[in-house]
Amino acid sequence: MKSAVVLLPGLNRDRDMIAALTKISGQAPATVWQTDTEIPDVDLIAIPGGFSFGDYLRCGAIAARMPVMRAVAEKAAKGVMVIGVCNGFQILVEAGMLPGALMRNSSLKFVCRQVKLQIANANTMFTRRYQPGQIIRSPVAHHDGNYFADAETLARLEGEGQVVFRYAEGTNPNGSINDIAGIINDKGNVLGLMPHPENLIEAAHGGSDGRALFEGALGIAA
Amino acid sequence: MKARITVTLKNGVLDPQGKAIEHALSGLGFDGVGQVRQGKVFDVELSETDKAKAEADLKAMCDKLLANTVIENYSVAIT
């Protein structure tokens, strides 16, 4: 299974994502730059975390309008899996590929710590290696992770099982509605989440709870 | 032609920054301050001379980039 990582000025978790994909899949992902209009033939496209374009205007707003994101949307429409982590999630929301919005943390503080996540839907390409309701650990590091959607959108997300990750056991770090940490699109191939599973994939990270997400998406045996 | 675009949070959308400002104002002794909501202002210069066309362009700019209409409203004023 092949993967690609989107590079944009101001991202800073791109190397972590490349390292995780390389270690888990055994081959280095292709990289695509913001001005690229074509993405190689891959099974998974990852948009890493960071502060693309300095978070100017709104987090992810400028990045979402770069040419490469049109190419990502075209691939997603053809069924290619897309994962956006942290700023990548904000970019997918700003690009209209996922519903809702990510607002300033309710505490107004940047949070950098480990949280607990509940697998709210284990029936996705990304979470099929977890058990329904399983609690896993994951680091978070963000200032704008407070997920918001209007009542109608929220009801649809909850009703259709599009809420995939929820902050568990009182660890919601940002005030997100319904403790939402990650959602998937209605087709089930575009996932966005604020936590960083790519930073918990091996013993050196202090745990490997995030590894199964990439193994599931890439169809790699554990 | 010059225009001013004002972007504000929709009613019902929590504004923690506005809340913090509200508390800071009362801390400074400004009594009687009700709710404070924070927004953004964009001053835009345009070469367009037709007012109706400029207004249409400015609204398109808001819809496509300057406002996130999931959580924000905008207003356009040509000055």
Side-chain angles (χ1 to χ4, degrees):
Chain A
M1 296 288 264
K2 291 181 179 163
S3 60
V5 172
V6 175
L7 302 180
L8 294 147
L11 292 183
N12 62 2
R13 301 293 188 113
D14 43 331
R15 292 170 72 149
D16 299 30
M17 185 63 81
I18 291 168
L21 289 169
T22 306
K23 285 179 180 183
I24 294 168
S25 74
Q27 53 183 321
T31 53
V32 283
W33 182 236
Q34 54 167 338
T35 48
D36 288 346
T37 52
E38 290 203 19
I39 296 174
D41 216 5
V42 295
D43 308 289
L44 174 71
I45 300 168
I47 310 174
F51 304 85
S52 58
F53 297 90
D55 280 349
Y56 293 168
L57 189 60
R58 297 178 303 275
C59 298
I62 311 280
R65 278 110 185 139
M66 287 293 122
V68 71
M69 286 309 297
R70 277 199 292 276
V72 171
E74 282 166 17
K75 287 284 188 188
K78 287 177 188 158
V80 173
M81 283 180 285
V82 177
I83 179 173
V85 169
C86 200
N87 195 206
F89 184 14
Q90 295 163 341
I91 293 168
L92 288 173
V93 165
E94 278 284 346
M97 292 174 67
L98 288 172
L102 288 152
M103 304 183 57
R104 182 57 45 101
N105 295 346
S106 58
S107 64
L108 295 177
K109 291 188 173 71
F110 188 97
V111 290
C112 183
R113 59 169 177 256
Q114 193 171 88
V115 297
K116 289 181 177 171
L117 295 179
Q118 184 186 45
I119 309 299
N121 182 354
N123 191 25
T124 77
M125 295 293 280
F126 300 94
T127 50
R128 55 186 173 160
R129 298 287 171 81
Y130 296 106
Q131 298 302 315
Q134 187 182 342
I135 307 284
I136 63 168
R137 297 180 300 144
S138 183
V140 292
H142 60 252
H143 207 166
D144 298 75
N146 183 354
Y147 184 78
F148 175 85
D150 61 56
E152 192 184 320
T153 306
L154 192 63
R156 195 179 71 239
L157 288 174
E158 293 285 3
E160 301 294 322
Q162 288 176 250
V163 176
V164 176
F165 296 101
R166 239 186 266 279
Y167 301 110
E169 299 175 8
T171 61
N172 185 339
N174 53 41
S176 67
I177 201 159
N178 291 12
D179 294 327
I180 288 172
I183 57 169
I184 200 160
N185 66 341
D186 51 3
K187 271 175 65 185
N189 68 322
V190 177
L191 173 79
L193 73 166
M194 289 312 297
H196 287 277
E198 79 280 16
N199 289 134
L200 205 65
I201 62 146
E202 57 188 355
H205 287 153
S208 57
D209 293 17
R211 196 177 177 98
L213 187 155
F214 298 98
E215 287 172 345
L218 292 165
I220 292 164
Chain B
M1 192 178 295
K2 289 183 178 176
R4 172 162 285 189
I5 292 168
T6 308
V7 175
T8 52
L9 278 176
K10 285 183 178 173
N11 285 335
V13 174
L14 186 71
D15 179 13
Q17 293 175 102
K19 268 267 176 279
I21 295 163
E22 193 181 304
H23 290 309
L25 286 174
S26 67
L28 286 169
F30 290 105
D31 296 329
V33 174
Q35 189 178 228
V36 177
R37 308 277 284 170
Q38 184 178 306
K40 295 187 187 112
V41 167
F42 303 90
D43 287 325
V44 185
E45 287 184 20
L46 296 169
S47 56
E48 180 60 56
T49 51
D50 182 278
K51 199 174 164 183
K53 178 132 196 340
E55 206 163 276
D57 282 350
L58 289 160
K59 283 183 176 165
M61 290 177 206
C62 288
D63 286 327
K64 285 188 174 169
L65 179 66
L66 298 178
N68 179 346
T69 54
V70 175
I71 49 169
E72 293 169 329
N73 291 322
Y74 62 82
S75 64
V76 170
I78 290 173
T79 53

